[in-house]
Amino acid sequence: MNDWNDLKKKRWLFLFLFCAINFCTGALYIWSVFAGPLAVRLNELSGNSFTASDLGQVFGLAAGVTPFLMLAGGFINDRLGPKLVVIAGGVMIGLGYIICGFSSSLNMLYIGYGLCVGIGTGMVNGCTINSAVKFFPDKKGFAGGLVTASLGIGAALLPFAINGLIEVSGISSTCLYFGIFSGIFIPVCAAFTDKCPEHFADSFAALSSGSKCTGIETNWVGMLKSPLFIPLFALFITGSTMGL
């Protein structure tokens, strides 16, 4: 019981760390801040005439691979916990931005931002959101919503810092600095997290005042067969497309 009480207190630290990690990964969605200066850099190095819109496919690749890695990250998180997966994802993100800083061709941007940052962000987001919900079975909406909101807050606030850094140091150094920061900050935060015990939620159920959960427990196959899946999926796709 003491271990459960300790973990119940420690879960708030985990939630804070998950939010801090997701705040950092919000940089994936500020591609427009990087695109213009990177296009100028590529033109100077290669003699091409790229515009920011010409680099839009790079973000498309990153946004395209992220959801698949979120699924994979959540799957692995259920078995290993968030620590190793988030550390690996953070290293991938950091490496991706560093590659962008040294990029001399469009293909390097595809590899750095499109693949490394996209894959790393998917791994990190899948684990942090998944773990937050597991640690807060009594506040699932609050925990999952707060961690997800941190991603959006990062996307809203990071452009100010990135733009300022670009003006002072240039796009190459900015990508390098942000890559080093992300590659260190995310793994360090992840190192202080842990896997949610398998029966952690049962303790909350045991302490409840005899009320029964009316929700339906099912696997992903049952989710796909549910009549609620298609309308919810359509709403999600519509909202995500409009936002991106």
Side-chain angles (χ1 to χ4, degrees), residues 98-114:
I98 291 173
I99 291 174
C100 288
F102 288 105
S103 62
S104 58
S105 68
L106 189 56
N107 286 336
M108 288 184 69
L109 293 181
Y110 278 119
I111 295 171
Y113 202 94

Side-chain angles (χ1 to χ4, degrees), residues 4-22:
W4 182 81
N5 286 326
D6 290 342
L7 191 57
K8 188 179 177 183
K9 296 176 182 178
K10 193 180 290 185
R11 66 179 182 159
W12 291 98
L13 170 63
F14 296 161
L15 182 62
F16 171 79
L17 293 172
F18 293 147
C19 289
I21 290 168
N22 264 24

Side-chain angles (χ1 to χ4, degrees), residues 10-44:
K10 193 180 290 185
R11 66 179 182 159
W12 291 98
L13 170 63
F14 296 161
L15 182 62
F16 171 79
L17 293 172
F18 293 147
C19 289
I21 290 168
N22 264 24
F23 178 90
C24 190
T25 62
L28 174 73
Y29 300 100
I30 61 170
W31 171 248
S32 59
V33 177
F34 293 100
L38 282 172
V40 172
R41 171 180 164 78
L42 289 185
N43 293 338
E44 292 174 349

